[in-house]
Amino acid sequence: QVQLVESGGGLVQAGGSLRLSCAASGRTCSNYAMGWFRQAPGKEREFVSAINWTGGNTYYADSVKGRFTISRGNVKNTVNLQMNSLKPEDTAVYYCAAGLDSRSVRTNSGRLYWGKGTLVTVSS
């Protein structure tokens, strides 16, 4: 079993920045791909970004490309999401996910582990 805990959400004005972090613990999680999804009120959960276990490959949704940056922490079982130039439409609960490969995370398929989420609110 893998446990994921997110942190770093909060309230920010449009144009501002936030940094989300996710720490994984449990069985052999250091070689898992990890990523972020978000779910706005009344909408389905959507993919935001993913990174493979080495940190060498990153993936982004078109809506966040150029504004968000995903990275592995100094410890392999952590992942960060630096969010810049935030927009009100970025408001959502952000969930950390982990899986055996980045394709599974990107496509939300296969066996994924999920955190409980952290709320990001961007005011206009």
Tab-separated table of all heavy atoms in Angstrom, residues 4 6 22 32-38 47-52 59 70 72 79-81 94-99 101-102 105-106 112-115:
chain	number	residue	atom	x	y	z
A	4	LEU	N	-0.279	8.751	0.189
A	4	LEU	CA	0.127	10.040	-0.374
A	4	LEU	C	-0.484	11.166	0.448
A	4	LEU	O	-1.678	11.125	0.754
A	4	LEU	CB	-0.348	10.158	-1.823
A	4	LEU	CG	0.104	9.070	-2.795
A	4	LEU	CD1	-0.551	9.261	-4.144
A	4	LEU	CD2	1.610	9.067	-2.928
A	6	GLU	N	-0.728	15.373	0.468
A	6	GLU	CA	-0.467	16.644	-0.206
A	6	GLU	C	-0.378	17.786	0.802
A	6	GLU	O	-0.974	17.730	1.868
A	6	GLU	CB	-1.580	16.977	-1.212
A	6	GLU	CG	-1.854	15.933	-2.252
A	6	GLU	CD	-3.016	15.037	-1.908
A	6	GLU	OE1	-3.336	14.905	-0.702
A	6	GLU	OE2	-3.622	14.456	-2.833
A	22	CYS	N	3.835	16.709	-2.458
A	22	CYS	CA	3.202	15.417	-2.165
A	22	CYS	C	4.288	14.471	-1.691
A	22	CYS	O	5.313	14.304	-2.357
A	22	CYS	CB	2.516	14.869	-3.403
A	22	CYS	SG	1.822	13.213	-3.192
A	32	TYR	N	7.977	4.893	-8.336
A	32	TYR	CA	6.665	5.124	-8.925
A	32	TYR	C	6.673	6.428	-9.707
A	32	TYR	O	7.302	7.409	-9.322
A	32	TYR	CB	5.604	5.219	-7.836
A	32	TYR	CG	5.041	3.890	-7.382
A	32	TYR	CD1	5.846	2.776	-7.250
A	32	TYR	CD2	3.692	3.776	-7.086
A	32	TYR	CE1	5.326	1.574	-6.832
A	32	TYR	CE2	3.153	2.568	-6.667
A	32	TYR	CZ	3.983	1.468	-6.536
A	32	TYR	OH	3.457	0.275	-6.119
A	33	ALA	N	5.912	6.450	-10.800
A	33	ALA	CA	5.599	7.713	-11.447
A	33	ALA	C	4.583	8.444	-10.571
A	33	ALA	O	3.790	7.813	-9.868
A	33	ALA	CB	5.016	7.471	-12.831
A	34	MET	N	4.636	9.757	-10.597
A	34	MET	CA	3.717	10.531	-9.769
A	34	MET	C	3.129	11.672	-10.577
A	34	MET	O	3.654	12.040	-11.632
A	34	MET	CB	4.431	11.062	-8.528
A	34	MET	CG	4.953	9.962	-7.622
A	34	MET	SD	5.803	10.568	-6.153
A	34	MET	CE	4.403	11.123	-5.177
A	35	GLY	N	2.048	12.210	-10.115
A	35	GLY	CA	1.424	13.288	-10.872
A	35	GLY	C	0.365	13.998	-10.073
A	35	GLY	O	0.136	13.699	-8.896
A	36	TRP	N	-0.271	14.942	-10.755
A	36	TRP	CA	-1.313	15.753	-10.141
A	36	TRP	C	-2.551	15.793	-11.038
A	36	TRP	O	-2.446	15.906	-12.267
A	36	TRP	CB	-0.816	17.187	-9.935
A	36	TRP	CG	0.288	17.294	-8.938
A	36	TRP	CD1	1.627	17.226	-9.175
A	36	TRP	CD2	0.142	17.479	-7.526
A	36	TRP	NE1	2.322	17.357	-8.004
A	36	TRP	CE2	1.443	17.516	-6.976
A	36	TRP	CE3	-0.956	17.627	-6.667
A	36	TRP	CZ2	1.670	17.684	-5.606
A	36	TRP	CZ3	-0.723	17.798	-5.310
A	36	TRP	CH2	0.575	17.825	-4.808
A	37	PHE	N	-3.670	15.707	-10.378
A	37	PHE	CA	-4.966	15.908	-11.016
A	37	PHE	C	-5.682	17.007	-10.241
A	37	PHE	O	-5.294	17.351	-9.133
A	37	PHE	CB	-5.795	14.623	-10.969
A	37	PHE	CG	-5.323	13.560	-11.928
A	37	PHE	CD1	-4.155	12.854	-11.676
A	37	PHE	CD2	-6.037	13.263	-13.076
A	37	PHE	CE1	-3.710	11.872	-12.566
A	37	PHE	CE2	-5.614	12.288	-13.957
A	37	PHE	CZ	-4.446	11.595	-13.693
A	38	ARG	N	-6.730	17.529	-10.827
A	38	ARG	CA	-7.542	18.500	-10.101
A	38	ARG	C	-9.017	18.317	-10.438
A	38	ARG	O	-9.365	17.805	-11.496
A	38	ARG	CB	-7.105	19.931	-10.429
A	38	ARG	CG	-7.336	20.364	-11.875
A	38	ARG	CD	-6.716	21.738	-12.127
A	38	ARG	NE	-6.963	22.203	-13.489
A	38	ARG	CZ	-6.424	23.316	-13.991
A	38	ARG	NH1	-5.607	24.067	-13.249
A	38	ARG	NH2	-6.702	23.664	-15.233
A	47	PHE	N	-6.524	15.595	-15.564
A	47	PHE	CA	-5.069	15.487	-15.465
A	47	PHE	C	-4.446	16.875	-15.508
A	47	PHE	O	-4.852	17.732	-16.295
A	47	PHE	CB	-4.541	14.638	-16.618
A	47	PHE	CG	-3.069	14.690	-16.804
A	47	PHE	CD1	-2.231	14.009	-15.932
A	47	PHE	CD2	-2.502	15.414	-17.838
A	47	PHE	CE1	-0.854	14.054	-16.092
A	47	PHE	CE2	-1.138	15.465	-18.014
A	47	PHE	CZ	-0.308	14.779	-17.140
A	48	VAL	N	-3.424	17.075	-14.691
A	48	VAL	CA	-2.679	18.334	-14.672
A	48	VAL	C	-1.233	18.120	-15.125
A	48	VAL	O	-0.760	18.765	-16.051
A	48	VAL	CB	-2.692	18.978	-13.273
A	48	VAL	CG1	-1.801	20.220	-13.224
A	48	VAL	CG2	-4.119	19.306	-12.854
A	49	SER	N	-0.544	17.188	-14.461
A	49	SER	CA	0.869	17.006	-14.757
A	49	SER	C	1.329	15.672	-14.209
A	49	SER	O	0.746	15.141	-13.256
A	49	SER	CB	1.684	18.146	-14.124
A	49	SER	OG	3.048	18.042	-14.449
A	50	ALA	N	2.405	15.130	-14.809
A	50	ALA	CA	2.971	13.868	-14.341
A	50	ALA	C	4.480	13.878	-14.552
A	50	ALA	O	5.006	14.631	-15.388
A	50	ALA	CB	2.337	12.682	-15.063
A	51	ILE	N	5.151	13.022	-13.801
A	51	ILE	CA	6.596	12.898	-13.910
A	51	ILE	C	6.964	11.437	-13.709
A	51	ILE	O	6.366	10.745	-12.883
A	51	ILE	CB	7.286	13.820	-12.880
A	51	ILE	CG1	8.795	13.894	-13.097
A	51	ILE	CG2	6.969	13.387	-11.450
A	51	ILE	CD1	9.452	15.020	-12.298
A	52	ASN	N	7.931	10.951	-14.481
A	52	ASN	CA	8.316	9.551	-14.315
A	52	ASN	C	9.195	9.397	-13.083
A	52	ASN	O	9.573	10.383	-12.432
A	52	ASN	CB	8.984	9.021	-15.577
A	52	ASN	CG	10.380	9.582	-15.781
A	52	ASN	OD1	10.698	10.659	-15.286
A	52	ASN	ND2	11.208	8.860	-16.503
A	59	TYR	N	5.154	15.744	-18.043
A	59	TYR	CA	3.991	15.859	-18.916
A	59	TYR	C	3.038	16.888	-18.311
A	59	TYR	O	2.907	16.980	-17.085
A	59	TYR	CB	3.288	14.507	-19.028
A	59	TYR	CG	4.217	13.377	-19.392
A	59	TYR	CD1	4.885	12.668	-18.400
A	59	TYR	CD2	4.439	13.032	-20.720
A	59	TYR	CE1	5.754	11.639	-18.720
A	59	TYR	CE2	5.305	12.000	-21.049
A	59	TYR	CZ	5.963	11.313	-20.045
A	59	TYR	OH	6.824	10.299	-20.373
A	70	ILE	N	6.434	20.602	-12.735
A	70	ILE	CA	6.465	19.462	-11.823
A	70	ILE	C	7.908	19.019	-11.649
A	70	ILE	O	8.713	19.083	-12.592
A	70	ILE	CB	5.582	18.303	-12.358
A	70	ILE	CG1	5.380	17.240	-11.283
A	70	ILE	CG2	6.172	17.707	-13.632
A	70	ILE	CD1	4.332	16.196	-11.651
A	72	ARG	N	10.630	16.301	-9.084
A	72	ARG	CA	10.842	15.371	-7.979
A	72	ARG	C	11.562	16.122	-6.866
A	72	ARG	O	12.427	16.961	-7.116
A	72	ARG	CB	11.703	14.207	-8.435
A	72	ARG	CG	10.973	13.242	-9.311
A	72	ARG	CD	10.152	12.282	-8.490
A	72	ARG	NE	9.606	11.190	-9.270
A	72	ARG	CZ	8.873	10.215	-8.770
A	72	ARG	NH1	8.585	10.183	-7.478
A	72	ARG	NH2	8.409	9.254	-9.542
A	79	VAL	N	7.055	14.736	-4.716
A	79	VAL	CA	6.870	15.454	-5.966
A	79	VAL	C	6.303	16.830	-5.650
A	79	VAL	O	5.509	16.990	-4.722
A	79	VAL	CB	5.944	14.676	-6.928
A	79	VAL	CG1	4.540	14.544	-6.366
A	79	VAL	CG2	5.906	15.334	-8.295
A	80	ASN	N	6.763	17.816	-6.400
A	80	ASN	CA	6.312	19.187	-6.203
A	80	ASN	C	5.646	19.711	-7.467
A	80	ASN	O	5.981	19.283	-8.576
A	80	ASN	CB	7.507	20.084	-5.860
A	80	ASN	CG	8.254	19.610	-4.636
A	80	ASN	OD1	7.656	19.399	-3.583
A	80	ASN	ND2	9.551	19.424	-4.771
A	81	LEU	N	4.735	20.626	-7.291
A	81	LEU	CA	4.100	21.292	-8.423
A	81	LEU	C	4.165	22.793	-8.174
A	81	LEU	O	3.462	23.313	-7.303
A	81	LEU	CB	2.647	20.848	-8.583
A	81	LEU	CG	1.942	21.396	-9.833
A	81	LEU	CD1	2.545	20.771	-11.089
A	81	LEU	CD2	0.440	21.123	-9.774
A	94	TYR	N	-6.717	19.786	-5.642
A	94	TYR	CA	-5.615	19.148	-6.356
A	94	TYR	C	-5.250	17.846	-5.650
A	94	TYR	O	-5.019	17.827	-4.442
A	94	TYR	CB	-4.412	20.081	-6.412
A	94	TYR	CG	-4.576	21.165	-7.455
A	94	TYR	CD1	-5.498	22.192	-7.269
A	94	TYR	CD2	-3.847	21.158	-8.633
A	94	TYR	CE1	-5.673	23.188	-8.225
A	94	TYR	CE2	-4.009	22.139	-9.600
A	94	TYR	CZ	-4.929	23.145	-9.388
A	94	TYR	OH	-5.099	24.131	-10.345
A	95	TYR	N	-5.186	16.777	-6.444
A	95	TYR	CA	-4.902	15.456	-5.915
A	95	TYR	C	-3.573	14.949	-6.451
A	95	TYR	O	-3.284	15.056	-7.633
A	95	TYR	CB	-5.993	14.464	-6.334
A	95	TYR	CG	-7.357	14.768	-5.777
A	95	TYR	CD1	-8.247	15.567	-6.480
A	95	TYR	CD2	-7.762	14.245	-4.554
A	95	TYR	CE1	-9.508	15.845	-5.987
A	95	TYR	CE2	-9.020	14.521	-4.047
A	95	TYR	CZ	-9.884	15.321	-4.765
A	95	TYR	OH	-11.134	15.598	-4.264
A	96	CYS	N	-2.809	14.368	-5.570
A	96	CYS	CA	-1.578	13.694	-5.947
A	96	CYS	C	-1.908	12.247	-6.291
A	96	CYS	O	-2.770	11.636	-5.645
A	96	CYS	CB	-0.591	13.760	-4.784
A	96	CYS	SG	0.988	12.963	-5.088
A	97	ALA	N	-1.228	11.716	-7.300
A	97	ALA	CA	-1.440	10.332	-7.707
A	97	ALA	C	-0.090	9.661	-7.937
A	97	ALA	O	0.885	10.318	-8.316
A	97	ALA	CB	-2.277	10.265	-8.976
A	98	ALA	N	-0.058	8.370	-7.727
A	98	ALA	CA	1.159	7.598	-7.962
A	98	ALA	C	0.790	6.285	-8.634
A	98	ALA	O	-0.237	5.679	-8.321
A	98	ALA	CB	1.902	7.340	-6.662
A	99	GLY	N	1.651	5.861	-9.572
A	99	GLY	CA	1.408	4.611	-10.277
A	99	GLY	C	2.708	4.024	-10.778
A	99	GLY	O	3.762	4.656	-10.706
A	101	ASP	N	3.806	3.510	-13.765
A	101	ASP	CA	4.444	4.160	-14.901
A	101	ASP	C	3.722	5.469	-15.208
A	101	ASP	O	2.585	5.681	-14.815
A	101	ASP	CB	4.448	3.252	-16.134
A	101	ASP	CG	3.061	2.800	-16.526
A	101	ASP	OD1	2.313	3.607	-17.090
A	101	ASP	OD2	2.727	1.628	-16.252
A	102	SER	N	4.403	6.336	-15.916
A	102	SER	CA	3.854	7.668	-16.174
A	102	SER	C	2.635	7.615	-17.080
A	102	SER	O	1.747	8.462	-16.984
A	102	SER	CB	4.926	8.583	-16.763
A	102	SER	OG	5.448	8.030	-17.952
A	105	VAL	N	-0.390	7.116	-14.986
A	105	VAL	CA	-0.743	8.338	-14.259
A	105	VAL	C	-1.377	9.349	-15.224
A	105	VAL	O	-2.414	9.935	-14.946
A	105	VAL	CB	0.493	8.943	-13.573
A	105	VAL	CG1	0.158	10.278	-12.913
A	105	VAL	CG2	1.044	7.978	-12.526
A	106	ARG	N	-0.760	9.547	-16.379
A	106	ARG	CA	-1.268	10.529	-17.338
A	106	ARG	C	-2.683	10.214	-17.785
A	106	ARG	O	-3.505	11.115	-18.000
A	106	ARG	CB	-0.365	10.584	-18.566
A	106	ARG	CG	0.904	11.377	-18.390
A	106	ARG	CD	1.663	11.445	-19.691
A	106	ARG	NE	2.324	10.201	-20.024
A	106	ARG	CZ	2.326	9.646	-21.225
A	106	ARG	NH1	1.665	10.209	-22.204
A	106	ARG	NH2	2.981	8.534	-21.447
A	112	LEU	N	-3.807	3.086	-9.478
A	112	LEU	CA	-3.235	4.341	-8.998
A	112	LEU	C	-3.546	4.514	-7.523
A	112	LEU	O	-4.587	4.084	-7.039
A	112	LEU	CB	-3.794	5.539	-9.771
A	112	LEU	CG	-3.502	5.637	-11.265
A	112	LEU	CD1	-4.056	6.946	-11.821
A	112	LEU	CD2	-2.020	5.533	-11.541
A	113	TYR	N	-2.638	5.154	-6.853
A	113	TYR	CA	-2.854	5.546	-5.464
A	113	TYR	C	-3.135	7.040	-5.448
A	113	TYR	O	-2.567	7.800	-6.234
A	113	TYR	CB	-1.629	5.208	-4.617
A	113	TYR	CG	-1.329	3.735	-4.555
A	113	TYR	CD1	-0.413	3.161	-5.428
A	113	TYR	CD2	-1.971	2.915	-3.631
A	113	TYR	CE1	-0.141	1.802	-5.383
A	113	TYR	CE2	-1.702	1.556	-3.582
A	113	TYR	CZ	-0.787	1.009	-4.458
A	113	TYR	OH	-0.524	-0.331	-4.416
A	114	TRP	N	-3.992	7.456	-4.520
A	114	TRP	CA	-4.425	8.850	-4.476
A	114	TRP	C	-4.255	9.450	-3.094
A	114	TRP	O	-4.438	8.770	-2.088
A	114	TRP	CB	-5.907	8.951	-4.855
A	114	TRP	CG	-6.203	8.558	-6.254
A	114	TRP	CD1	-6.577	7.324	-6.687
A	114	TRP	CD2	-6.158	9.390	-7.409
A	114	TRP	NE1	-6.769	7.331	-8.058
A	114	TRP	CE2	-6.525	8.595	-8.511
A	114	TRP	CE3	-5.849	10.728	-7.618
A	114	TRP	CZ2	-6.576	9.099	-9.823
A	114	TRP	CZ3	-5.905	11.230	-8.902
A	114	TRP	CH2	-6.266	10.425	-9.992
A	115	GLY	N	-3.928	10.740	-3.073
A	115	GLY	CA	-3.984	11.478	-1.832
A	115	GLY	C	-5.398	11.984	-1.608
A	115	GLY	O	-6.286	11.791	-2.448
